[in-house]
Amino acid sequence: MADADLVVLGAGAAGLAAAHFAGEAARGEGLRILLLDGAKKPGAKILVSGGGRCNVTNERVTADDFFGGPPTIVRKVLRSFDERRTRAWMAELGVRLKLEPTGKYFPESDKARTVLDALLRGVESTGAILRTGARATGIERTGDEFAVALQDGSRIVARRLIVATGGLSLPKSGSDGWGLAAARRLGHTIRPTTPALSPLVLKPGRTLAGRFADFSGITIDARLALHGPTGKPLYAWTDSTLFTHFGLSGPTPLNMSRHLLQARADDPSGGWRVTFGHPDFPAPADAEEWLRREADRNGKRLVSSALSSIFPERLAQAYAGTDGRLAEMDRARRRELATAIAALEIDVVSDRGYSFAETTAGGVDLREIDVRTMESRVAPGLHLCGEMLDVDGRIGGFNFQWAWATGYLAGRGAARALAP
Ligand SMILES: Cc1cc2nc3c(=O)[nH]c(=O)nc-3n(C[C@H](O)[C@H](O)[C@H](O)COP(=O)(O)OP(=O)(O)OC[C@H]3O[C@@H](n4cnc5c(N)ncnc54)[C@H](O)[C@@H]3O)c2cc1C
C-alpha cells in the first residue's frame, strides 16, 4: 500500500500552490497529501523575491510576457488561473495586496514573509502535511505508483506525484536542477537551459562602452537591443538600467539576458550584437537630427552641456569626450556621437550565472504536458509545475503568476484524478 495518495516534491511557490489546491479539491475525501522539501526552511526564494517584498503578480498578465514554450499553451494555463484569481486567492489567505504604479502587486506589509506564512497556513488548513529536510534523490515508477527515495535512505511510495522542485536559479535555495534530471530520466525532453533575468557582465576597456564601471550606481532609462547576424533587431526592451562595477543590472538588462543567452546557446557563432541606446532616439538618425537642431539653436553651447539635458552629468561628460562647441562638430563626429547615443555597441562577456539569475530559461518541454492538469503525457500519474517547465516570464510578478497557475492546475488535477 502507498504511504501517501499524493506527494508534492518541492515547497516553493509552485509546490505550495499545488499542495494547497490539491488539499482543497480533496477536502472531505480523506486523501493523504504529503509536501516534501529538501531545505530545512521552505520558501527561500519567496523570501528574497522582489527585494524582500515579493512581487506576487501583475496588473495585466498575457502570454506575451513569457518566453520559451508555445504561446498557445502558455495562454491556456494563464486563462485557467489568471491574475484576478491570484488576487482573490491571496485575499482568501489573508494577504492584502497593493498595486504599484509599475503594475506590480506587492503585499501591503511590504514583507515577503507575509506571503510565505499565509501560503504555509493555507497548506496546513487543508490537512496536507509538510515535511522539511526531506531531499529527494531518486524517483522510480513501481507499477501505477511512484517511489521517491530520500537522502536519509528512506522511501515514500505515492499513488500520484507532483514535482515542483524549480529550475537552476539561486542554487543555494536548494533548487539546483535536480528535478530536471529526474524528469529526463522519466522520459521527458529538457529544452536547453540558461539563466534568465540575470545581470550582464561587460568587457571593461578605455572606450565609452568599456567604461561602465565609471558610471557605477547611475540608473537611467535605456533601450537594449539584440541584433542577429543580419543586423536586424530581434528583441528590444526599454526600462530602467543600473550601471555596476561589473556591467549592467536592473529591469532592462535582466529582461534582455535570456534572449542573448538562449541565442548564443542556439548558435554560438551567430554574430549576436547588443546595443545600448537612449530611449528618446530609436535610431542614430534621430539623435543626429537632435544634435543638428541643438547646434542651430545655440552653436556656442558645449556638447557636454547639451548632452546633460538627456544624460546624467557623468555620462554626458563621457559621451562628449574631449568636448567642444556644438557648432564646431563636423559631420563625421556628429554621426559618431549620434550612433553612440542611440545604439552604442556593448561587449557582453557573459551573464552573472544562476547564482544571480531570478529564473531559468528552458526546461521540460511544454508539449509533453497536458496543461489542463499539468500531467505528464510521458509518465502518467506524474504532474510537473513551476520554474522547471520551459517557460520564463519577464520582470514584474510574471514568474510567480506562472508558479501559482501551474501549481493550481497540477494540485487540482492530481486530487481529482485520485478522488474515489
Ligand atoms: C532573487 C530573486 C527574486 C525574485 N523575485 C521575484 C518576484 O518578485 N516576482 C516574481 O514573480 N518572481 C520572482 N522571482 C522568481 C520566482 O522566485 C520563481 O519563479 C519561483 O520561485 C519559482 O517557483 P518554483 O516553486 O517553481 O521553484 P522554487 O521556488 O525554486 O522552489 C523549488 C523548491 O523545491 C525544493 N527542492 C529542490 N530540489 C529538491 C529535491 N531534490 N528534493 C526536495 N525538495 C527539493 C527547493 O528546496 C525549493 O523549496 C525571483 C527569483 C529570485 C532568485
Side-chain angles (χ1 to χ4, degrees), residues 10 13-14 37-38 45 49-50 55 135-136 166 174-175 178 358 387 397 399-400:
D37 200 285
K45 231 183 253 182
S49 69
N55 174 197
R135 185 162 174 90
S175 309
W178 176 86
E358 291 195 8
E387 189 176 322
N399 287 300
F400 276 140

Side-chain angles (χ1 to χ4, degrees), residues 304-317:
S304 58
S305 160
L307 287 170
S308 65
S309 66
I310 59 166
F311 285 129
E313 194 59 41
R314 249 190 295 164
L315 269 177
Q317 290 291 345

Side-chain angles (χ1 to χ4, degrees), residues 58 60 62-67 102 104 197 200 220-227 233-241 248-260 274-280 282 342 346 393-396 398:
N58 199 280
R60 187 159 178 272
T62 73
D64 293 343
D65 300 308
F66 296 86
F67 309 98
T102 50
K104 298 175 181 177
L197 301 183
L200 299 176
I220 58 167
D221 274 356
R223 182 185 61 255
L224 283 188
L226 171 65
H227 306 261
L234 300 176
Y235 176 81
W237 193 257
T238 301
D239 204 330
S240 120
T241 300
L248 300 175
S249 191
T252 313
L254 296 190
N255 281 322
M256 164 60 72
S257 59
R258 67 100 55 213
H259 299 280
L260 175 63
V274 179
T275 56
F276 175 97
H278 190 289
D280 290 352
I346 55 173
R394 64 181 179 90
I395 286 269
F398 301 100

Side-chain angles (χ1 to χ4, degrees), residues 147-163:
V148 178
L150 297 182
Q151 205 164 30
D152 64 7
S154 64
R155 232 168 69 111
I156 294 177
V157 176
R159 290 168 61 208
R160 270 189 185 251
L161 178 64
I162 297 178
V163 179

Side-chain angles (χ1 to χ4, degrees), residues 153-242:
S154 64
R155 232 168 69 111
I156 294 177
V157 176
R159 290 168 61 208
R160 270 189 185 251
L161 178 64
I162 297 178
V163 179
T165 47
L168 290 137
S169 68
L170 204 66
K172 69 176 180 197
S173 69
S175 309
D176 56 3
W178 176 86
L180 294 173
R184 184 184 283 121
R185 280 194 295 272
L186 289 163
H188 276 284
T189 310
I190 310 298
R191 312 275 312 154
T193 51
T194 62
L197 301 183
S198 171
L200 299 176
V201 178
L202 303 188
K203 185 174 175 186
R206 298 171 73 88
T207 60
L208 181 58
R211 290 182 53 198
F212 51 86
D214 294 351
F215 319 127
S216 187
I218 294 178
T219 298
I220 58 167
D221 274 356
R223 182 185 61 255
L224 283 188
L226 171 65
H227 306 261
T230 61
K232 215 173 122 197
L234 300 176
Y235 176 81
W237 193 257
T238 301
D239 204 330
S240 120
T241 300
L242 167 72

